Amino acid sequence: MRNFLTLILSLVWAGAVAQIRLVPRSVLDSIANPRTVKTALVVEQQRVDFGRLTEADKVEYRVAVKNVGTETMTYRTVPSCRCLKVTDGVVRAGESGEIVISFSGKGLPGPFTHMVSVYAADMTTPTAVIWVRGYVKAGRDHRGEYYPYTCGALLLRQPGVKIRSNSIECIACMNNSDRAVTITQDSLLSSAGIEACTYPRTLQAGQEGDLLISIRGQKQQNMKLFIVGEYAPSKREIKIE
């Protein structure tokens, strides 16, 4: 994620004239590396790799947490995909616990990268983000069944997201074109403070990934997000709730 291009071309079509928009690296980094707040709850691992799976596999991984403070802490977890089941918990002062992350690959062929936000004392900003990745071997072509929404060059698992202030949400996606695409928000049509990119940053032809959507600052009413990319020049809207 640290190797994102510093400058990303965003084609904005007005009639037949294209304008180049530059997206600062700091904006892209804020999506790829969401802001966290330090608390007494220490999450001892931020990367989980399930490796290669089949659609029949159901796997789980346990991430250790420790309360280094002087009071009991309650934490809750928010996964970015319904394919993940993640436990919440309570850890007494000076004791350790664990976050159990379960994943089922049924109906989810291809590479996947999702995140689990862990909230402790501050329930608006996560204390840690755990990235979960792996690869599910496809039994058949699931594109039409599992990516029913079309958005320019992308096929999407769902048409939009419910998102809060200062947070990030993901939509599983697939590049349905015959070329690599790099997606970002249309800065002219999208609401201020809303940003988007894919992970991986550039999706190769036929590659699956996640569309990352973030709101920096306070969420406003009726926010709009339109995405655009080198090979998907026409505007496409993602629903924001």
Side-chain angles (χ1 to χ4, degrees), residues 10 19 43 50 86 117 128 139 152 158 191 195 203 206 210 216 221:
S10 175
Q19 303 175 2
V43 179
F50 281 123
V86 191
S117 298
Q158 59 195 55
S191 302
E195 298 155 2
L203 291 177
D210 284 289
R216 303 179 67 186
Q221 290 186 344

Side-chain angles (χ1 to χ4, degrees):
M1 298 294 290
R2 296 180 180 176
N3 295 325
F4 285 171
L5 296 178
T6 303
L7 301 178
I8 303 299
L9 294 179
S10 175
L11 301 184
V12 181
W13 290 73
V17 180
Q19 303 175 2
I20 296 178
R21 295 285 166 180
L22 303 180
V23 180
R25 183 190 178 94
S26 60
V27 171
L28 299 177
D29 285 346
S30 70
I31 298 177
N33 302 290
R35 184 173 68 90
T36 58
V37 60
K38 186 176 181 179
T39 69
L41 185 75
V42 177
V43 179
E44 298 186 1
Q45 188 173 348
Q46 280 74 49
R47 295 285 188 274
V48 173
D49 192 338
F50 281 123
R52 297 182 69 86
L53 308 169
T54 69
E55 292 192 53
D57 289 335
K58 295 182 179 180
V59 293
E60 70 175 33
Y61 193 93
R62 297 172 184 269
V63 176
V65 297
K66 185 174 182 179
N67 183 355
V68 297
T70 59
E71 298 180 356
T72 297
M73 295 201 72
T74 299
Y75 64 86
R76 66 180 180 87
T77 59
V78 180
S80 64
C81 177
R82 281 178 282 182
C83 60
L84 295 175
K85 303 298 182 183
V86 191
T87 59
D88 300 331
V90 178
V91 184
R92 294 178 179 177
E95 296 185 359
S96 297
E98 61 184 14
I99 297 171
V100 181
I101 303 174
S102 303
F103 174 80
S104 173
K106 184 178 180 180
L108 300 171
F112 63 88
T113 301
H114 303 300
M115 63 182 182
V116 177
S117 298
V118 183
Y119 295 86
D122 185 343
M123 293 300 180
T124 59
T125 303
T127 189
V129 173
I130 304 170
W131 291 93
V132 181
R133 59 174 295 182
Y135 184 91
V136 179
K137 183 179 179 181
R140 56 190 177 87
D141 188 349
H142 292 276
R143 283 181 293 180
E145 183 178 356
Y146 295 107
Y147 296 99
Y149 301 96
T150 301
C151 190
L154 296 183
L155 297 180
L156 302 177
R157 185 74 50 80
Q158 59 195 55
V161 294
K162 292 183 178 180
I163 188 169
R164 301 177 302 172
S165 303
N166 291 307
S167 63
I168 299 177
E169 296 293 342
C170 301
I171 300 176
C173 66
M174 177 180 181
N175 176 8
N176 196 41
S177 72
D178 59 357
R179 311 186 204 182
V181 296
T182 301
I183 300 295
T184 185
Q185 75 277 0
D186 185 324
S187 57
L188 290 184
L189 296 181
S190 300
S191 302
I194 194 165
E195 298 155 2
C197 71
T198 59
Y199 179 78
R201 186 68 190 93
T202 297
L203 291 177
Q204 302 301 318
Q207 184 177 8
E208 295 175 288
D210 284 289
L211 178 64
L212 306 181
I213 301 168
S214 71
I215 291 181
R216 303 179 67 186
Q218 187 67 30
K219 180 182 177 182
Q220 306 298 322
Q221 290 186 344
N222 302 317
M223 295 192 80
K224 301 289 185 180
L225 171 61
F226 294 84
I227 62 172
V228 65
E230 286 95 323
Y231 300 108
S234 57
K235 288 17 174 230
R236 292 293 185 268
E237 183 176 6
I238 303 295
K239 295 180 180 179
I240 303 296
E241 298 181 22

